[in-house]
Amino acid sequence: MKLLVFNPEHDLALAANLSNFTAPHAGRQLRADLGFIPAIWAAADDYVLVENTEDAERRFLRLTRRPFGRFIDKEHVRNNRFTAVETWGWDLAIRAFLLRWGIDDSIMPTVTQIDAIRELSHRRYAMQLLGRLQMPGTIGEALETDRVETILNLLHEGKQLVVKAPWSSSGRGVRFMNIDMNIYDNGWVRNIINRQGSVMVEPYYSKVKDFGMEFVSDGCGTVSYVGLSLFQTTNGAYMGNILASEEEKIDRLSRYIPVDLLKTIQQKICIEMGALLKGKYTGAFGIDMMVVRRDNEEGFWLHPCVEINLRRTMGHVAISLTELCSGLPKLMKIEYDANIYKIRINKR
């Protein structure tokens, strides 16, 4: 039996790197309200850890039109002999939480293994992968620095920049800078450098479309492609995913990027990430990408690695939900309505 756990506060916990990390209220509520999500891809013998089993069953049934019946709360977890645990993402905080509620540490990553996962989640690895994915039709560059002066010099050259914390969650830890650095941005950069050792600096690109590719690592050197993720963001924050067949998603992207280029990038990621994750990470992960408008000419570039999300993603959720939602393409959104987080599926 496998225990599945939705811990959406993972990115924040990874940045904090504390066993006793307490997520902000919004993160705790998101976990409580949407804890049923892993039931979407659960196998026949899996259990899903939730705050309230009756509420989870009701909300899962409303979303998928089918029962699940294997939700379990933390009070009853210790009474079961699970053979494996699968979380949204692994960090010290979720490991400590599961230990407190009786999960055997032999079926979880060790502290040393979680340290390796955290290191691989540093944005410098996205920068390194980006360099290896460069080929005709692609664009993208980044640098890592621990000096504010480096950023100031680039701004004085007239460059528009995106500055990122090495570890941060979606929509957080990212600043857009143009021409000059105000006192607030200066303080933010210095604080991130003091806490995390450096910042990542990238050019600002004229983005046309967000998307991603989803994968699974077996931990032994093989990475398998799962599917495309077409998602929407506002100021870097996740807003929703298209639910559509792989063919429909490829067709939409082919209006901007040649299909052969997409397939080549997919294959190179499997090779590069297979080598990088061998012996270090087993599980789902995603690579965020974007379509970029070409300056002063027609056409588009592919930015093949904006982020590496070394965890399950909403793209994985969308792919699993697509199998349950037949018919025309739809839009999956997470909304905050009447003081509750909800997953809605709207017709497009």
Side-chain angles (χ1 to χ4, degrees), residues 5 32 41 48 83 146 169 203 216 227 259 262 288:
V5 185
W41 60 85
V48 176
T83 57
D146 59 1
S169 62
V216 173
V259 173
L262 292 171
D288 288 348

Side-chain angles (χ1 to χ4, degrees), residues 24 130 211 289:
L130 175 62
F211 74 102
M289 307 178 182

